[in-house]
Amino acid sequence: MKLIIGSDHGGYELKNTICDFLGAEIIPAEGGVRLELTVDARHSNCYDILHGGVMTTMADTAMGAACFLRNKKVVTVSMTIEFMHAVKIGAKIHTEAKILHDGRQIMICECGIVDASGEIFAKANATFFVIETLAG
């Protein structure tokens, strides 16, 4: 995955190979980015449903990308996630990340993982440490 931040953001490029590994797509969205994934067998656990680690990775990546769109490179300090429903193979899900606090050193975000109908499968909250502020 490559997220190109336009000239209004300094022309920076964000590379995230975990999205390539998972087969998740990055879609520009209003106020941020959206990760989309069609769940297949490689994403499943022993019960033939989506592995929670995949949803956790999607949420972490989406929230980190939202921070990047604010011209900040971040690393995750802490993250919690609540799983509400199982996701079946073949389902199409996406992230909805939102920044709650945009500080000089700390950013706080939340992210939902939903399907097209709006059914929520997981909700995550994370705190990020800003390692670099990019010129913007």
Side-chain angles (χ1 to χ4, degrees):
M1 179 274 300
K2 291 182 183 178
L3 176 63
I4 307 296
I5 305 301
S7 58
D8 58 329
H9 286 74
Y12 294 103
E13 178 181 32
L14 174 67
K15 296 178 188 174
N16 195 319
T17 56
I18 193 69
C19 288
D20 295 333
F21 178 76
L22 291 176
E25 270 190 87
I26 297 290
I27 309 294
E30 188 175 327
V33 296
R34 175 174 155 155
L35 270 69
E36 295 183 351
L37 179 72
T38 300
V39 179
D40 63 37
R42 69 184 156 152
H43 304 120
S44 67
N45 62 17
C46 60
Y47 305 116
D48 288 327
I49 57 176
L50 180 62
H51 191 286
V54 173
M55 283 193 278
T56 303
T57 300
M58 287 181 67
D60 184 51
T61 302
M63 290 183 287
C67 294
F68 188 75
L69 286 173
R70 298 276 180 99
N71 293 326
K72 294 182 180 172
K73 289 184 179 181
V74 297
V75 292
T76 309
V77 174
S78 68
M79 181 175 163
T80 60
I81 189 164
E82 290 84 36
F83 303 102
M84 292 157 215
H85 299 286
V87 181
K88 296 179 182 176
I89 293 175
K92 293 182 180 185
I93 58 174
H94 67 270
T95 60
E96 295 178 345
K98 178 180 175 183
I99 294 175
L100 303 177
H101 173 71
D102 184 359
R104 189 173 52 83
Q105 291 187 312
I106 295 291
M107 296 185 78
I108 300 172
C109 303
E110 68 180 9
C111 183
I113 297 178
V114 300
D115 65 11
S117 73
E119 181 176 9
I120 187 159
F121 296 98
K123 184 78 167 185
N125 294 286
T127 300
F128 295 90
F129 180 74
V130 178
I131 59 172
E132 182 180 355
T133 300
L134 306 170

